[in-house]
Amino acid sequence: MAEAPREKTTAVKATETVKRVPRLIKAMLMEAHEGKAQGKPVVYCFLGNNCDEIVRAMGMAPVWPENWAGFCAAVHLAEGFLKKANAEGFSDKLCTYATCGLGFDIMRQELGEAPPDAPFGGLPKPDAMLGIGLSMCDPRHKWFQAVQRYTDVPLHTMGLLVPPYDIDLKEVEGYYIDYMVEELKGLVEFLERIAGRKMDWDELSHLIDISDETNDIWYEAYQLRKAVPAPMPTQDAMSAFVPGWCLLGTQQALDFCRDLYDEVKYRVENKIGVIPDEKYRLVWGMGIPPWFFLQLFNFFESLGAVFTIEAIYRPFEPVEIPAGVSHPLERLAWRLYKRGTYRHEKARKRTGDADIEYLIELIDEYKIDAVVMHRAFSCRTVHTGQLHQLAVLKKYRNLPSLVLESDMVDVSSFSEEDVKSRIETFIEIVDAHKRGKSTHPSAS
Amino acid sequence: MAKAQVEQRGLSAAEQIYQQRSQRARQLRDEGKKIIGYFCAYPPVEMLTAANLVPYRIMGNPRQAVARADEYLESIVCSFVRSCFDVALLGGYDFLDGFVASHACDNIGKIYTIWRYNFKPQFSYFVNVPNTTSTASLKFFRAELGTFQRHLEKFTGGQITEQRLFEAIKLHNENRALMREIYALRKPDPPLLSAVEMNKILVASQSIPVEESNQLLRDVIQDLKKRHDGPARKPARLMVVGSEIDDSPLFQIIEDSEANVVIDDACIGTRVYWHDVETEGNPLDNLATRYLDRVMCPRTARERTGSREEDLDIRFGHILGLAREFGVNGVILYILRYCDNFGFDVPDLRDYLEKAGLPVLFVEDEYLISSARLKTRIEAFIEMIS
């Protein structure tokens, strides 16, 4: 942990609401630390794993090592943790969210407490961990298994799956829903054993109501971002997702999203754009950003380009739960299934890939001029298929595209000079394309 | 091998099939059979056989650098998957009528969509395999195999009856038993066959119909039992543990040194052959149990016991068991770069084996073997343990 923090690590934000996010993160972690001291169980969780409301309803504090690793990267304090994990035998090619978190867990075990310079006092030692076997990310069922080497607390792994794009959903829906309900029941039973108390089902229903309302208003706020000029850029969304994903089911998250909606609406009504002269509207495609260099968004802006919308770290589309479904676990199962299959039918009938369908929607609805992606070398889940997506996309929407390469946490492969040079060239291509002069729109 | 254009029998037949791996499948296709390519150890091949289809294991080419896949797959994708895709782009799988993948890992999960889009197979199916062995996961997987069965029936136009499933299960059980018999011939010191030969037998066997494979393996066993030109005794007896170490020069590199590789825990090896499917009861139930619960791959999280020692035994005990059964005195842990499922296990597995008295060499590398550097490391390891 010898690395000194850099002077400035974050991007300049456009909205006032998102500037509250660092305080929210700090408060969330402090609350977990204090709760832990008072006997409130702490649970290591993964973002978007459908357990948020259940953990909270059980009176436990969820903490998010994945998000914390991103934060370590943003304040340039990840390197020491990464090296620690690598020295233990975890490859530097594994998910760096995981190796950053593992490095911290190793240090905490060695020191008997969190390393003194860990951001926000580090993560509290968990009382339990929730892994998940989801068809999106292998580290979600391997990372916490590895953590047990240093923090041997109970681990429960849920299996939640969504169907592949090419299946007729009517054929499989029944057994996917049944499975998710059973797995969620298993999760509740596990947490009841840890907490020594029974689930309060009314409380769980209430928290699901709050989280649904939070998601829906967050979604509505992002619908407003279709406006010209763009009222809220992607760098703001890279903060705004934290309440929506890490504080789901809390009043804080709901209040935050309501305020965000109000502010974005105000900016749209008053035509307040992110930059004074918006020349190019970009979409941030699938790809986790380099959390250690979010200033890249501002660099695009200095060239007249605004990231109007993004395909990642976003709210889900509001989904309709079938009438008669009222048990909270069934609601959660249907919600996950409906969200996870939202564009499957569309994909099946056209491109074969829901991520591509989403990109096409964003391009059309947000009046996009070009697509930018970032490829993080340590993550297969999000970044495998970017070349495919862009190749197929070109058949439907022939726009310039750029793929930047580095990592979400590990700064070692990142070159600010190279990235800026590539962005400058890319913007020239976007400009030429927009003026109808370019026949070769790919800079990737 | 009655119908095949393979004139030799036994070991030389295995060598010939290995050298021209797709020849028999292409011949069968010309005769009207449908050939289905599949990835990894999870798709239940018995169901393909029962549907009168020929399962054909998809492998890459670890001796050849990727030529065209760079245009389609990112460099961060597992090098095995990239190599397989490259072989396909170069026409190496142009005889396949269909393609089956499973949720074995993120890489294979992702490649399914990309493969379908680019090669447009007549038939494709993604077998969604849960990552846990809970009762609910087993029930789900049973239902998933039911959907797979309906898709196969729709493709072939024929019904897969229980009887046909049981017949296929028996054929594949026999295949597994025969392969285990060959494995057992590696227990003596020196072993009756080298790992290079074993690897060729494994590759050949997963490239031809199961009935033909059974005959091949019976002949191979006969040959091996009467041979006098087997490997020499060497100071080190090694086990290789890893994922898709299929047609790999790795074994040649090791056996060119002072070691015999006598057992593996790998995706085309024991992971495929070590457990049979039950033959009483409902065949789909039995297939679900075998594939979800018995295939010991780190992509599956096992139910926890509450005791870390017991959990480690559940995750790695089979590896230690094989190492002891085959009398090895060292383990090479060969992990493909960018493999999260195997990569996260490395410190735990290394310590588990070393604690049991087995020295471990951990190598993280590409599917395309970079022999010079690897050879040096392996020789040093063998010298250390001999």
Side-chain angles (χ1 to χ4, degrees):
Chain A
M1 301 307 302
E3 190 183 4
R6 285 165 37 138
E7 282 181 14
K8 173 164 169 44
T9 57
T10 56
V12 175
K13 309 291 192 300
T15 60
E16 289 302 313
T17 310
V18 301
K19 292 174 186 169
R20 286 163 28 196
V21 171
R23 291 199 299 278
L24 285 172
I25 298 175
K26 188 174 180 182
M28 175 176 70
L29 279 168
M30 290 306 110
E31 198 180 315
H33 279 290
E34 286 162 17
K36 170 92 182 170
Q38 291 160 16
K40 186 177 183 177
V42 168
V43 186
Y44 270 13
C45 299
F46 285 108
L47 298 178
N49 71 352
N50 228 31
C51 72
D52 312 48
E53 299 94 333
I54 291 175
V55 172
R56 291 187 199 283
M58 286 300 301
M60 299 169 151
V63 293
W64 316 92
E66 206 177 348
N67 178 248
W68 189 78
F71 191 79
C72 288
V75 296
H76 287 236
L77 282 172
E79 191 184 346
F81 298 130
L82 294 174
K83 283 186 173 166
K84 188 72 182 173
N86 298 157
E88 188 77 356
F90 295 104
S91 165
D92 60 2
K93 301 296 182 290
L94 295 175
C95 164
T96 48
Y97 281 156
T99 46
C100 179
L102 276 162
F104 169 78
D105 284 314
I106 298 167
M107 286 186 188
R108 185 179 54 201
Q109 186 221 25
E110 287 176 354
L111 297 169
E113 59 185 6
D117 51 356
F120 295 146
L123 298 172
K125 186 181 173 188
D127 298 284
M129 298 186 284
L130 303 182
I132 186 164
L134 184 74
S135 15
M136 68 178 272
C137 177
D138 292 332
R140 286 174 177 235
H141 59 268
K142 295 306 293 184
W143 172 359
F144 292 169
Q145 198 177 50
V147 170
Q148 287 191 300
R149 193 174 158 79
Y150 315 100
T151 307
D152 190 16
V153 298
L155 165 67
H156 180 80
T157 302
M158 266 194 301
L160 297 182
L161 296 163
V162 288
Y165 299 136
D166 60 335
I167 202 87
D168 180 351
L169 294 176
K170 290 190 287 293
E171 198 179 352
V172 300
E173 186 174 272
Y175 67 83
Y176 272 82
I177 296 292
D178 288 348
Y179 178 51
M180 291 187 198
V181 171
E182 286 304 310
E183 287 294 273
L184 290 169
K185 272 185 197 167
L187 170 63
V188 170
E189 287 165 11
F190 170 75
L191 293 176
E192 285 177 338
R193 284 197 297 276
I194 301 293
R197 54 163 276 203
K198 288 290 181 189
M199 168 61 80
D200 180 341
W201 296 107
D202 289 339
E203 173 67 3
L204 179 57
S205 286
H206 172 62
L207 295 186
I208 295 171
D209 288 342
I210 293 179
S211 66
D212 284 352
E213 192 180 346
T214 303
N215 180 76
D216 292 355
I217 196 156
W218 183 20
Y219 175 81
E220 288 304 325
Y222 282 21
Q223 292 297 299
L224 297 171
R225 295 170 65 194
K226 292 172 183 171
V228 180
M232 173 186 163
T234 288
Q235 66 264 30
D236 287 31
M238 294 301 166
S239 288
F241 86 91
V242 176
W245 279 29
C246 300
L247 287 165
L248 204 55
T250 68
Q251 191 63 40
Q252 291 158 292
L254 179 56
D255 291 345
F256 175 89
C257 289
R258 280 177 177 156
D259 291 348
L260 184 67
Y261 175 86
D262 289 344
E263 187 181 0
V264 175
K265 187 163 182 282
Y266 175 84
R267 291 175 68 94
V268 171
E269 286 169 355
N270 292 279
K271 296 194 182 305
I272 303 170
V274 174
I275 53 174
D277 182 17
E278 179 179 293
K279 291 181 187 165
Y280 319 107
R281 292 168 65 86
L282 310 178
V283 59
W284 181 267
M286 285 304 285
I288 302 173
W291 295 112
F292 47 80
F293 192 73
L294 292 180
Q295 304 98 304
L296 77 87
F297 292 110
N298 296 135
F299 186 69
F300 276 100
E301 286 169 4
S302 71
L303 302 170
V306 178
F307 281 93
T308 310
I309 193 67
E310 54 288 324
I312 193 167
Y313 295 123
R314 62 184 183 90
F316 294 99
E317 294 77 8
V319 291
E320 197 174 328
I321 307 299
V325 172
S326 59
H327 191 282
L329 297 186
E330 288 179 13
R331 283 176 69 190
L332 286 172
W334 275 103
R335 192 178 77 182
L336 176 69
Y337 181 80
K338 289 279 189 176
R339 286 174 175 177
T341 58
Y342 191 78
R343 291 183 180 80
H344 272 46
E345 277 303 302
K346 218 170 176 180
R348 201 157 70 97
K349 288 174 184 160
R350 186 163 62 167
T351 60
D353 187 325
D355 290 337
I356 301 170
E357 293 296 336
Y358 186 46
L359 266 182
I360 293 172
E361 281 176 30
L362 294 179
I363 287 166
D364 293 348
E365 294 174 11
Y366 290 76
K367 305 171 192 70
I368 296 299
D369 298 312
V371 181
V372 177
M373 293 181 173
H374 174 246
R375 183 175 307 142
F377 75 80
S378 75
C379 170
R380 264 60 59 197
T381 308
V382 174
H383 307 92
T384 298
Q386 288 176 327
L387 290 173
H388 173 69
Q389 287 173 23
L390 291 174
V392 179
L393 179 67
K394 200 157 283 183
K395 294 185 177 175
Y396 298 93
R397 301 293 182 270
N398 188 28
L399 296 181
S401 60
L402 170 70
V403 180
L404 299 170
E405 293 177 80
S406 63
D407 188 44
M408 63 266 198
V409 173
D410 185 352
V411 72
S412 63
S413 63
F414 180 78
S415 161
E416 182 174 338
E417 198 177 326
D418 288 352
V419 164
K420 285 186 169 174
S421 167
R422 292 192 66 201
I423 291 171
E424 283 169 340
T425 306
F426 176 65
I427 293 299
E428 287 171 17
I429 293 171
V430 175
D431 185 72
H433 185 74
K434 206 169 175 184
R435 292 162 188 264
K437 290 179 182 171
S438 169
T439 52
H440 301 288
S442 178
S444 43
Chain B
M1 302 303 301
K3 284 185 178 178
Q5 290 181 333
V6 175
E7 289 154 12
Q8 291 96 338
R9 291 168 60 89
L11 274 173
S12 52
E15 172 74 28
Q16 191 182 346
I17 297 167
Y18 165 81
Q19 292 295 345
Q20 294 178 301
R21 189 164 102 81
S22 67
Q23 186 188 51
R24 179 60 180 147
R26 289 176 189 277
Q27 182 193 16
L28 286 165
R29 191 168 190 250
D30 290 344
E31 292 168 9
K33 287 283 242 181
K34 301 273 189 195
I35 318 295
I36 306 294
Y38 67 98
F39 263 114
C40 94
Y42 274 99
V45 285
E46 293 86 347
M47 296 179 70
L48 299 175
T49 300
N52 201 25
L53 301 165
V54 179
Y56 187 87
R57 180 82 181 235
I58 293 175
M59 298 180 191
N61 184 347
R63 292 172 179 78
Q64 183 177 299
V66 161
R68 289 191 56 204
D70 285 337
E71 295 169 38
Y72 298 81
L73 294 174
E74 296 78 8
S75 57
I76 61 165
V77 176
C78 149
S79 51
F80 162 73
V81 170
R82 280 163 55 79
S83 180
C84 292
F85 198 79
D86 200 59
V87 171
L89 285 169
L90 296 171
Y93 291 119
D94 58 2
F95 59 93
L96 295 182
D97 297 286
F99 164 65
V100 178
S102 61
H103 176 221
C105 68
D106 290 342
N107 289 288
I108 291 182
K110 290 278 185 176
I111 197 71
Y112 177 72
T113 300
I114 300 170
W115 190 291
R116 279 189 76 242
Y117 185 86
N118 286 287
F119 301 119
K120 299 184 173 38
Q122 290 175 46
F123 175 81
S124 60
Y125 193 86
F126 184 79
V127 184
N128 222 347
V129 189
N131 283 95
T132 79
T133 56
S134 68
T135 307
S137 289
L138 193 60
K139 192 175 163 195
F140 169 89
F141 192 47
R142 165 66 178 79
E144 173 69 357
L145 292 187
T147 307
F148 182 39
Q149 178 176 336
R150 286 194 298 280
H151 281 237
L152 288 170
E153 288 173 339
K154 192 175 169 194
F155 175 60
T156 59
Q159 198 191 350
I160 304 176
T161 60
E162 266 202 20
Q163 189 191 342
R164 288 180 73 166
L165 270 173
F166 272 128
E167 285 167 5
I169 286 170
K170 280 178 187 161
L171 280 170
H172 283 275
N173 278 349
E174 184 185 0
N175 192 254
R176 286 185 275 256
L178 288 164
M179 198 64 89
R180 289 196 296 271
E181 202 176 328
I182 295 175
Y183 267 96
L185 300 176
R186 301 164 81 190
K187 286 183 186 175
D189 192 22
L192 268 64
L193 74 162
S194 68
V196 172
E197 290 170 320
M198 185 76 217
N199 195 50
K200 289 177 178 176
I201 295 165
L202 289 167
V203 170
S205 187
Q206 291 172 53
S207 309
I208 55 178
V210 64
E211 300 91 335
E212 296 179 15
S213 172
N214 286 347
Q215 186 57 52
L216 172 74
L217 298 184
R218 280 191 285 269
D219 294 343
V220 164
I221 291 166
Q222 273 192 6
D223 274 7
L224 289 171
K225 284 184 173 170
K226 61 188 180 195
R227 82 185 305 190
H228 300 289
D229 59 345
R233 180 176 285 122
K234 293 179 181 176
R237 288 172 62 84
L238 299 180
M239 177 177 194
V240 170
V241 175
S243 56
E244 293 285 354
I245 312 167
D246 44 32
D247 178 21
S248 178
L250 173 69
F251 300 109
Q252 188 70 61
I253 292 169
I254 298 171
E255 293 186 333
D256 282 347
S257 307
E258 285 297 298
N260 286 313
V261 177
V262 293
I263 188 65
D264 67 77
D265 178 50
C267 292
I268 71 157
T270 59
R271 215 162 280 144
V272 171
Y273 292 101
W274 235 248
H275 296 282
D276 289 343
V277 180
E278 291 292 327
T279 52
E280 301 292 327
N282 179 286
L284 284 191
D285 287 347
N286 299 347
L287 286 166
T289 302
R290 190 268 175 191
Y291 279 90
L292 187 64
D293 197 32
R294 308 280 190 270
V295 176
M296 294 301 292
C297 174
R299 53 80 63 198
T300 300
R302 309 267 155 194
E303 289 292 308
R304 292 210 69 213
T305 63
S307 151
R308 178 157 168 78
E309 276 63 38
E310 284 178 29
D311 288 342
L312 291 172
D313 284 340
I314 288 171
R315 285 165 62 196
F316 307 129
H318 66 287
I319 298 173
L320 184 57
L322 285 172
R324 286 185 170 146
E325 188 181 342
F326 283 77
V328 310
N329 56 350
V331 176
I332 295 180
L333 196 51
Y334 192 87
I335 305 298
L336 295 181
R337 203 163 281 148
Y338 299 120
C339 178
D340 290 305
N341 280 329
F342 282 79
F344 279 107
D345 273 0
V346 167
D348 270 344
L349 177 55
R350 183 193 55 202
D351 287 0
Y352 181 83
L353 294 173
E354 286 180 350
K355 212 179 205 179
L358 284 170
V360 175
L361 172 66
F362 164 46
V363 179
E364 184 186 43
D365 212 330
E366 301 288 337
Y367 181 68
L368 179 73
I369 299 281
S370 45
S371 57
R373 187 166 47 89
L374 182 62
K375 192 171 188 302
T376 308
R377 290 191 65 192
I378 287 172
E379 282 173 351
F381 177 67
I382 291 169
E383 198 178 322
M384 183 189 82
I385 65 171
S386 299

